[in-house]
Amino acid sequence: MRVAGAAKLVVAVAVFLLTFYVISQVFEIKMDASLGNLFARSALDTAARSTKPPRYKCGISKACPEKHFAFKMASGAANVVGPKICLEDNVLMSGVKNNVGRGINVALVNGKTGEVLDTKYFDMWGGDVAPFIEFLKSIQDGTIVLMGTYDDGATKLNDEARRLIAELGSTSITSLGFRDNWVFCGGKGIKTKSPFEQHIKNNKDTNKYEGWPEVVEMEGCIPQKQD
């Protein structure tokens, strides 16, 4: 009986040790696999972060040099989606901000600091051009002027309004017509024509929308005004 009891004890101990060994081996394998997956995921995440393209202010395609303001803007889309004006990652005007309207949308910015001075829109279809002319005359030297059309920005424009906008650096304003799409960035006191202007004519043969051309977009870097 003593021999049989001792034999059972030995067998029980052996089974316990074998079970413990097997469990420990399986646990180590799982731990190794988990750690391997963890490190693999970490390496993939690092690689993904390193290959992700950088984002620049206002979503423009490249960074602006020092002492320049980044901007991006788009005209309205037909009479459905309003224009959008962004400067230094700050959306100045958009449909979401509910501060755009039919006609010519204008944002004024301090040319030295980038501070927003004013945002307005002027209805050039059913409105009066006189308030727009007075607004243009009131713009101070050194002010950055950003403009974008929505629906129709030309019907009520007269020669005086076009001349005042041309003095801000616009070239296309003289030929802006009914339902043309147009975006422009210039400045009061500018001595040359602005390089920042896009214009698409309303043409029934090429229009993207029924009665309106496609949206025009523009981005760039505006030099900061120096003393």
Side-chain angles (χ1 to χ4, degrees), residues 57-73:
K57 292 178 180 179
C58 290
I60 65 175
S61 57
K62 62 181 181 180
C64 289
E66 290 186 11
K67 297 183 179 180
H68 283 70
F69 300 121
F71 82 95
K72 187 172 184 177
M73 55 195 305

Side-chain angles (χ1 to χ4, degrees):
M1 293 294 293
R2 291 179 179 176
V3 174
K8 289 181 180 179
L9 179 60
V10 170
V11 171
V13 171
V15 170
F16 172 77
L17 292 174
L18 179 61
T19 302
F20 177 79
Y21 174 77
V22 170
I23 291 174
S24 65
Q25 290 298 309
V26 172
F27 181 74
E28 286 181 3
I29 291 172
K30 288 184 176 179
M31 282 295 292
D32 289 343
S34 298
L35 288 172
N37 289 336
L38 178 63
F39 286 126
R41 284 197 300 270
S42 177
L44 288 173
D45 291 344
T46 301
R49 285 194 297 270
S50 64
T51 56
K52 185 178 179 180
R55 183 192 178 281
Y56 303 113
K57 292 178 180 179
C58 290
I60 65 175
S61 57
K62 62 181 181 180
C64 289
E66 290 186 11
K67 297 183 179 180
H68 283 70
F69 300 121
F71 82 95
K72 187 172 184 177
M73 55 195 305
S75 69
N79 62 347
V80 179
V81 181
K84 183 177 181 180
I85 300 175
C86 176
L87 182 91
E88 285 293 287
D89 239 10
N90 180 25
V91 177
L92 310 185
M93 303 185 76
S94 72
V96 174
K97 292 179 71 71
N98 197 31
N99 63 347
V100 296
R102 181 174 65 181
I104 295 181
N105 294 258
V106 189
L108 303 182
V109 177
N110 186 303
K112 291 182 181 180
T113 66
E115 175 189 2
V116 182
L117 302 175
D118 202 358
T119 58
K120 289 186 183 298
Y121 61 88
F122 298 88
D123 188 350
M124 292 293 100
W125 166 253
D128 185 355
V129 73
F132 186 36
I133 290 173
E134 292 306 310
F135 176 81
L136 292 171
K137 288 179 177 179
S138 71
I139 299 174
Q140 300 296 308
D141 279 356
T143 301
I144 296 169
V145 184
L146 303 105
M147 297 185 176
T149 55
Y150 180 27
D151 189 359
D152 173 38
T155 296
K156 291 294 183 69
L157 283 180
N158 58 17
D159 290 343
E160 184 178 10
R162 292 177 188 271
R163 176 181 59 78
L164 290 169
I165 296 173
E167 289 175 358
L168 299 173
S170 172
T171 301
S172 299
I173 191 62
T174 56
S175 60
L176 187 68
F178 173 66
R179 287 185 176 176
D180 289 359
N181 274 341
W182 172 69
V183 288
F184 164 70
C185 176
K188 186 62 177 287
I190 190 171
K191 302 300 182 185
T192 59
K193 291 301 181 181
S194 171
F196 303 123
E197 187 169 29
Q198 295 291 330
H199 177 208
I200 295 183
K201 297 293 292 181
N202 170 23
N203 185 323
K204 65 179 182 179
D205 296 326
T206 58
N207 283 347
K208 182 174 182 179
Y209 311 105
E210 185 177 353
W212 290 270
E214 64 181 303
V215 173
V216 286
E217 296 182 311
M218 180 172 65
E219 64 177 52
C221 303
I222 308 167
Q224 182 180 358
K225 189 178 187 304
Q226 304 299 313
D227 293 326

